[in-house]
Amino acid sequence: MSGKVFLIGAGPGDPELMTLRALRMLQEADVVVYDRLVSDDILALHAEKARLIPVGKAPKCHTVPQGRINEILLEEARAGHTVARLKGGDPMIFGRGSEEAAYLVAHGVTVEYAPGITAAQGASCSTGVPLTHRGLATSVQYVTGHRQEDKVLDLDWKRLADPDSTLVVYMGVANIGQIAMGLMTENLPGSTPVLAVSKATTRAERRIVSRLDRLATDVRSAALEAPTLFIIGQVVSLYAERSVAELMEQAHG
């Protein structure tokens, strides 16, 4: 007897941002295997019959290794269960969803997807800062701010340091000083505005406005908690319909 796995994007935290497909899949599941960043409000939407299995990771603390997560999904599906693999954001954007799907498909398990609103879109929605805007940014780039097992952060700084593009950095708190320096080394101005958003779309959301050349100091002073997303580029000038100069003046007293 074989079940199936629903690979579900829960979005950035606000349950109203889930898709109808994601909600239906979650409520059909016999087992819910969920990440640490899935909000309590979303987790509460599971079917009463469902069994919950937490497999969340924190920085430098992987209680359940990825290999074991793959095995859990396979075991539950082979037991005939409908499994909801519930991930924050979108499982196909820095979420290892494709790795889990490839493992399951290779073992003969059916996988269905429900995309989720990724954190960049959620932060853009809650703050009013667009990711693209005529005259300010003609493109947007997503990048992860850390490497597996703390390997060297070997990003293509030249490509990322594009003044006509918006750069969104996921999971970058620990390395934000290195990221800022890498961009400035490739001539992205230190005055480039940055919006950092912690726990976007949730009741615990926090924001700070900074600029590239003092971003690391401001983030450290604010003690922003994970997950924190960084929006880097001229689009930040549209934040709250006030100029970046005014916001920075307020932030730095």
Side-chain angles (χ1 to χ4, degrees):
M1 185 176 183
S2 182
K4 57 186 174 183
V5 174
F6 293 145
L7 198 59
I8 302 173
D14 184 345
E16 290 189 345
L17 296 178
M18 289 181 70
T19 65
L20 293 175
R21 178 181 177 87
L23 180 60
R24 173 183 61 78
M25 286 180 166
L26 177 59
Q27 294 180 338
E28 288 180 2
D30 305 307
V31 179
V32 179
V33 181
Y34 66 98
D35 282 348
R36 179 177 63 93
L37 296 181
V38 174
S39 70
D40 291 341
D41 290 341
I42 288 175
L43 198 57
L45 298 174
H46 69 81
E48 187 175 345
K49 65 176 182 179
R51 179 162 43 91
L52 304 182
I53 302 177
V55 294
K57 302 182 183 71
K60 299 185 179 181
C61 182
H62 293 183
T63 310
V64 184
Q66 186 61 54
R68 179 56 190 147
I69 294 174
N70 294 347
E71 292 171 353
I72 290 170
L73 296 173
L74 181 60
E75 291 165 3
E76 295 294 340
R78 282 183 168 171
H81 299 141
T82 296
V83 183
R85 176 64 175 109
L86 192 59
K87 292 173 173 284
D90 186 297
M92 310 300 267
I93 299 179
F94 304 129
R96 297 189 179 181
S98 56
E99 296 176 30
E100 295 174 1
Y103 178 87
L104 293 165
V105 170
H107 288 80
V109 175
T110 298
V111 178
E112 298 180 26
Y113 301 86
I117 289 178
T118 188
Q121 295 168 310
S124 177
C125 174
S126 66
T127 64
V129 172
L131 299 178
T132 61
H133 188 85
R134 282 192 300 174
L136 295 178
T138 57
S139 63
V140 58
Q141 303 183 75
Y142 294 168
V143 66
T144 176
H146 86 290
R147 285 287 186 262
Q148 185 178 3
E149 299 174 352
D150 296 324
K151 293 179 181 177
V152 175
L153 194 63
D154 53 347
L155 300 177
D156 185 348
W157 304 114
K158 187 175 183 63
R159 176 178 61 83
L160 297 176
D162 180 357
D164 297 319
S165 179
T166 301
L167 177 62
V168 180
V169 181
Y170 290 68
M171 299 172 284
V173 170
N175 294 320
I176 199 59
Q178 180 185 349
I179 292 167
M181 184 60 67
L183 295 171
M184 289 187 290
T185 298
E186 292 296 338
N187 299 316
L188 192 64
S191 59
T192 301
V194 183
L195 176 64
V197 186
S198 171
K199 300 184 178 180
T201 80
T202 72
R203 289 184 291 269
E205 178 178 297
R206 292 181 60 206
R207 313 166 184 172
I208 65 166
V209 175
S210 183
R211 46 186 278 168
L212 206 56
D213 57 6
R214 56 192 183 209
L215 179 58
T217 299
D218 288 349
V219 169
R220 186 165 53 250
S221 298
L224 296 180
E225 297 181 6
T228 294
L229 187 90
F230 298 91
I231 301 176
I232 302 172
Q234 296 305 320
V235 293
V236 178
S237 65
L238 301 176
Y239 179 58
E241 298 181 351
R242 290 157 46 186
S243 71
V244 174
E246 288 175 320
L247 288 163
M248 289 179 183
E249 183 178 348
Q250 181 186 56
H252 296 278

